[in-house]
Amino acid sequence: MMKKNISVVMIFAAILASMNCGERMIQEKAPIEYVQRELDKLAPVALQCDLNQIPNSEIKTLKKLIQAAQIIDQLFLLQVDPENLKLARELERYRGTPDQPYLDLFTVMFGRWNRLDHDKPFLTNKAKPLGAGFYPPDMTKEEFESFLKEHPDQVEAFESNFTVIRRIESKLTAVPYYLAYQPYTEQLAKLLEQAADETNDPTLERFLRLRSQAIRTDDYYDSDMAWMDLNGDLEIVIGPYEVYEDALFNYKAAYEAFLCIVDKAESEKLMQIGGYLNDMEAHLPIADRYKNFNRGAGSPIKVVQEVFAAGDTKAGVQTAAFNLPNDERVREAKGSKKVMLKNVMRAKFEKCWIPIAHAVLAPKLLSLVSFDAYFNEVLMHEMSHSLGPGFITQADGQRVDVSKKLKECYSVIEECKADVLAILNMKFLIDKGVFSREIEPSLYATYLGGMLRSIRFGINEAHGGGVAIQFNYCFERGAFKIDEDGKLDLEEKKLYPTLVDLAHQLLMLQATGDYEGAKKFIEQYRRLTPVLQTAIDRLHAVPVDIRPSYPILNELGLNE
Ligand code: ZN
């Protein structure tokens, strides 16, 4: 940890110098038509959640936490670009004028670069620095690396997830977040303490006190451990987590927050489904010797309603589910937790998913699609990741991870498997009486309707690629077809057996660790066929994601 030898005054001087006080920030604007078109890709939605489920003490806690999350927004703005706070003030003048779209796109993107269009600049003529605001803008990768060769004692501090690199008196220096981002870090720590004072949930109180300390020291281990133990009404994530904003090295963690209420009805359903995991494994369409009953439940799943989100996660495309913490030490000790944001998923379903179904699905299927079927399919997808062969025992008796055998083919095969098993397992649970028989037609229509949403973002990424494989496999066997108007239709009697067959193929590629076979299979089916391309071409006017607002802020008397 970097605590010695840094004068706080020096740091502030360096930060102030980098802010170009007095200079006009907005130098070159993209045409307003472009900015408006990009905004239109994100459907506005007022994100709803039901506060009646939780006691008064937790509403007071939430209020403090929303204030804390608003600080997270400020912190992330600074991480993206040290000039952002000044820019934000300057852009306020656009509110209520014809130039407001610039302010709106800036707010969505947390900066001057469009995250939906390869970081294309729209309020500057400068490209976004790869290292965002985490490093001096003129520092190269080579300079960073050669500095560490000369100063091996600095490696830990420089590569830490929780330091920024600054040039102080022309020398590269690692500054811990809690110092670099004063006074925001101190304000954040105080608000977390105040939230801890309000809550009646002992697990949340413990997490918040430890997290408050962590914000002041940048040591997150104890609070990550405490986060795994949360078991009350609120599910709270707040702090620096993901490292993608640092595209230079993926070292620096970006601040983000998810404030959520646990969905109790869904949690009960999950418990019930969890009880069938072994039966689902037994029911897999492969020989018993390939089945694996010892994989454990994987990461526990929680279903929640998002009340407010802030920082990294709110920039550009909205998160619908996450798996944390990232600290491998915590994962080893306690596993990780998968959290699904049901109201965010519903908003995406209504604003982006349904319009896709309208554009590509045969009318008779359109009347069958439902959010419930969609949501349950996503849930079963997540659970299905923990089913099937995870390890292969080699001839020499050694156990090898399937992913090591299938290498770059692994993730697309695994995502494809989880999609297909999701449908098989839903059918299994219908047969067991967990879900009602009536949802079966809805299940298949929703399955087909959702495919274009993934493929639209490209088939080279694992999820989109996995879906292209399923679509082409089913199409080839007549389980999917085109109706007389060129819309997508399905043959219900053929679909289930086709999926059993596909599941068998995928599971056997994993069970035998057949790298060459997986490669051939992917080459054969992961293709953008003319049928798929025609369907994708119909989607150009459909929003790609949502742009949430949070009416809850008004309800609680907080400023936006
Ligand atoms: Zn998956």
Side-chain angles (χ1 to χ4, degrees):
M1 233 358 82
M2 294 284 311
K3 278 180 193 145
K4 304 155 280 182
N5 305 330
I6 301 173
S7 135
V8 176
V9 177
M10 270 159 69
I11 293 164
F12 282 133
I15 292 169
L16 280 175
S18 72
M19 286 170 97
N20 298 325
C21 297
E23 188 190 313
R24 268 279 153 95
M25 295 279 108
I26 302 161
Q27 305 129 354
E28 198 168 302
K29 293 192 282 192
I32 192 147
E33 297 75 25
Y34 168 79
V35 170
Q36 188 60 55
R37 197 171 61 238
E38 293 301 299
L39 274 176
D40 291 343
K41 288 183 183 171
L42 304 169
V45 58
L47 201 66
Q48 306 292 345
C49 60
D50 183 10
L51 287 187
N52 293 324
Q53 287 192 30
I54 60 170
N56 216 5
S57 62
E58 301 319 288
I59 291 184
K60 284 188 190 156
T61 311
L62 260 183
K63 248 175 124 163
K64 286 291 175 196
L65 289 171
I66 291 173
Q67 290 171 299
Q70 286 172 323
I71 306 249
I72 292 280
D73 276 338
Q74 305 292 306
L75 281 164
F76 183 61
L77 275 170
L78 279 172
Q79 290 187 309
V80 175
D81 181 353
E83 294 180 341
N84 262 347
L85 295 188
K86 184 149 191 283
L87 255 166
R89 278 195 295 277
E90 205 171 313
L91 282 165
E92 267 308 312
R93 290 181 297 131
Y94 290 1
R95 195 177 292 282
T97 76
D99 277 341
Q100 173 142 355
Y102 291 103
L103 168 63
D104 291 344
L105 195 61
F106 173 87
T107 306
V108 172
M109 298 303 163
F110 282 74
R112 299 176 276 185
W113 300 279
N114 181 3
R115 295 171 188 271
L116 292 181
D117 188 9
H118 312 284
D119 284 330
K120 189 169 162 168
F122 61 92
L123 280 170
T124 171
N125 48 15
K126 286 183 224 143
K128 182 176 180 182
L130 276 181
F134 297 113
Y135 307 88
D138 60 346
M139 186 204 79
T140 61
K141 226 173 167 161
E142 292 69 35
E143 184 188 358
F144 182 93
E145 280 160 356
S146 69
F147 179 89
L148 288 188
K149 265 195 202 115
E150 287 160 32
H151 305 86
D153 60 315
Q154 292 288 307
V155 170
E156 199 185 325
F158 270 56
E159 294 182 356
S160 159
N161 296 143
F162 312 115
T163 62
V164 290
I165 308 303
R166 296 285 175 250
R167 234 182 256 290
I168 296 180
E169 292 180 339
S170 79
K171 186 174 171 255
L172 290 183
T173 310
V175 186
Y177 281 2
Y178 74 89
L179 277 179
Y181 296 125
Q182 287 284 3
Y184 298 100
T185 42
E186 182 53 29
Q187 291 169 7
L188 174 59
K190 280 206 177 101
L191 283 161
L192 294 180
E193 267 169 9
Q194 291 167 10
D197 292 340
E198 296 288 358
T199 183
N200 280 334
D201 167 3
T203 62
L204 181 61
E205 184 186 343
R206 185 173 143 73
F207 166 68
L208 291 174
R209 295 213 189 280
L210 288 170
R211 183 50 49 114
S212 170
Q213 259 175 42
I215 296 291
R216 289 190 173 114
T217 58
D218 287 313
D219 180 358
Y220 294 90
Y221 177 77
D222 290 338
S223 54
D224 273 346
M225 292 286 276
W227 183 72
M228 286 302 296
D229 299 332
L230 288 183
N231 68 3
D233 293 315
L234 300 182
E235 180 61 56
I236 305 298
V237 168
I238 192 160
Y241 284 93
E242 306 297 343
V243 294
Y244 308 113
E245 189 66 18
D246 169 13
L248 192 63
F249 289 111
N250 280 181
Y251 287 151
K252 307 304 173 193
Y255 285 99
E256 69 179 356
F258 296 94
L259 312 182
C260 310
I261 302 174
V262 174
D263 187 318
K264 284 181 186 144
E266 284 295 338
S267 307
E268 270 163 40
K269 185 175 89 192
L270 274 168
M271 284 279 285
Q272 198 190 357
I273 297 173
Y276 282 99
L277 271 176
N278 261 336
D279 296 317
M280 291 192 265
E281 181 75 35
H283 191 248
L284 292 178
I286 44 172
D288 284 346
R289 68 177 185 282
Y290 295 124
K291 288 176 188 165
N292 186 349
F293 294 95
N294 310 315
R295 279 183 77 174
S299 48
I301 300 178
K302 260 193 183 177
V303 177
V304 303
Q305 308 281 342
E306 180 180 294
V307 178
F308 188 68
D312 189 21
T313 181
K314 203 164 62 176
V317 171
Q318 302 305 299
T319 305
F322 57 84
N323 197 335
L324 288 172
N326 291 331
D327 188 333
E328 283 303 332
R329 296 169 302 166
V330 181
R331 282 178 175 251
E332 215 168 288
K334 286 190 183 257
S336 66
K337 185 159 64 179
K338 178 115 201 173
V339 180
M340 299 175 68
L341 309 163
K342 193 175 178 188
N343 56 344
V344 176
M345 290 174 71
R346 187 186 288 278
K348 289 188 187 225
F349 180 82
E350 283 165 5
K351 301 289 179 179
C352 313
W353 197 105
I354 286 286
I356 292 177
H358 273 275
V360 301
L361 268 197
K364 75 171 197 316
L365 294 183
L366 209 48
S367 60
L368 293 172
V369 300
S370 74
F371 175 70
D372 271 354
Y374 166 75
F375 183 74
N376 287 325
E377 283 172 22
V378 177
L379 262 186
M380 293 314 297
H381 170 108
E382 294 307 334
M383 288 205 150
S384 298
H385 275 308
S386 60
L387 297 175
F391 290 96
I392 295 165
T393 308
Q394 298 189 133
D396 59 7
Q398 260 209 334
R399 273 158 62 86
V400 191
D401 211 294
V402 171
S403 63
K404 293 268 152 27
K405 290 293 227 179
L406 296 187
K407 293 180 266 195
E408 84 280 2
C409 295
Y410 174 75
S411 51
V412 63
I413 295 287
E414 175 62 20
E415 289 308 329
C416 190
K417 177 204 86 174
D419 278 345
V420 177
L421 291 190
I423 302 299
L424 266 48
N425 288 326
M426 279 295 289
K427 173 87 164 71
F428 178 75
L429 292 171
I430 289 171
D431 294 341
K432 290 280 172 200
V434 178
F435 293 109
S436 92
R437 175 76 50 199
E438 279 112 68
I439 70 162
E440 200 175 335
S442 163
L443 181 68
Y444 301 133
T446 307
Y447 171 62
L448 175 56
M451 288 193 154
L452 269 295
R453 166 133 174 95
S454 309
I455 294 176
R456 186 182 189 192
F457 299 115
I459 60 169
N460 292 323
E461 177 271 339
H463 293 85
V467 171
I469 291 172
Q470 294 161 65
F471 183 89
N472 292 325
Y473 193 90
C474 293
F475 195 79
E476 193 178 277
R477 282 156 185 77
F480 292 160
K481 57 187 184 180
I482 301 289
D483 75 1
E484 53 274 20
D485 299 318
K487 296 285 182 83
L488 302 177
D489 201 353
L490 59 82
E491 201 68 64
E492 199 177 318
K493 283 203 178 62
K494 284 188 188 167
L495 183 54
Y496 183 75
T498 303
L499 291 178
V500 172
D501 197 45
L502 176 55
H504 173 79
Q505 300 233 28
L506 296 163
L507 288 165
M508 287 310 291
L509 289 171
Q510 295 193 331
T512 56
D514 182 1
Y515 173 70
E516 288 304 325
K519 215 168 146 179
K520 253 179 76 185
F521 191 76
I522 292 170
E523 269 163 28
Q524 188 180 353
Y525 288 106
R526 186 175 63 183
R527 286 186 298 124
L528 219 45
T529 59
V531 173
L532 279 176
Q533 191 58 58
T534 310
I536 291 171
D537 291 344
R538 293 205 172 118
L539 306 180
H540 54 88
V542 177
V544 297
D545 201 53
I546 54 167
R547 177 151 61 104
S549 59
Y550 302 92
I552 191 92
L553 296 188
N554 268 326
E555 279 169 45
L556 295 177
L558 295 163
N559 291 327
E560 286 192 34

